[in-house]
Amino acid sequence: MAHPDLDFVIAALERIREKSDRAPRASRTALARLKAGDFVSLSVMTTPALTEHPSPPGRQLQAARNKADLLAGLRERVRVCTKCGHLACSRTQTVFGVGNPDADLMFIGEAPGADEDQQGEPFVGRAGQLLTRILKAMNFAREDVYIANILKCRPDMPEVSFGNRPPTPTEMQTCRPYLVEQIEIIQPSVLVALGAVAVEGLLGTRATMRELRGRWHTYNSIPLMITYHPAYLLRNQAPSEKRKVWEDMLQVMERLERPISERQRNYFL
Ligand code: SF4
């Protein structure tokens, strides 16, 4: 039966085997418990007890748990935030973020839309479904990566109007510290900003996507790829635009040292 803790330990061991010239080691007790499927007592073991060598799997598991705890605390602060009075009044709920607290790859969008405001999760509408498809083509599940927005509340709209509006610079500046904290906790290896508004919110840079996308930038020393927002691809179905996003994602996969098949190289979204 699948067990997330076991998957996590196996993935960590494989990473150590690939990246280190020393083979991973575990104590007899830890191995016996793994063999017996005794994840409950493994999960409460401290790092030194998990490994004789005070290294990676136990520590990484602990680190992931710490990150999840830190994110839970931050989520609670966001949940009751009223710094933008108008948004606190109009939102159904805050939309904090979703995914693996220990993700190597983190996506940043601009703000929740109507679907996200209803469901409390980022990127669940049509654009979100396209993002999920892009992830799948990259051999990622949504649960593998972390997805968040600059703004945690849906930008308010006049009652009679439909659709969504982009966040204002002031709204983004007010909410940005929460995203900064999320990134500090998760410490992803690669960031992807989706669309010019997300870039403005994250870097304070205003430029066209033509100028920004397709090359590496950095945010606090983390490599940052900028690409089109999936909503843009829904509006503009030209194969050339879809291919651009896919090429940006190929660069991300290369940076993460993910295997890329021939089929993926020739793929069009
Ligand atoms: S947008 Fe951000 S800062 Fe403004 S009320 Fe919502 S959570 Fe608070």
Side-chain angles (χ1 to χ4, degrees), residues 81-91 110-112 149-158 164-179 197 200-202 206:
C81 177
T82 54
K83 283 198 271 179
C84 317
H86 59 300
L87 302 185
C89 287
S90 62
R91 72 190 178 207
E110 58 185 59
N149 283 313
I150 304 279
L151 221 65
K152 310 303 187 206
C153 297
R154 183 187 181 209
D156 56 344
M157 297 287 289
N164 302 307
R165 72 162 170 86
T168 66
T170 307
E171 289 166 346
M172 289 198 285
Q173 242 180 348
T174 311
C175 204
R176 185 177 182 275
Y178 293 133
L179 177 72
V197 178
E200 188 185 339
L202 185 66
R206 267 195 195 184

Side-chain angles (χ1 to χ4, degrees), residues 115-132:
D115 295 318
E116 289 75 16
D117 173 69
Q118 283 301 316
Q119 297 185 41
E121 187 173 322
F123 284 91
V124 290
R126 281 181 67 225
Q129 286 159 20
L130 179 52
L131 177 62
T132 305

Side-chain angles (χ1 to χ4, degrees), residues 190-207:
V190 171
L191 285 165
V192 176
L194 299 165
V197 178
V199 175
E200 188 185 339
L202 185 66
L203 303 180
T205 307
R206 267 195 195 184

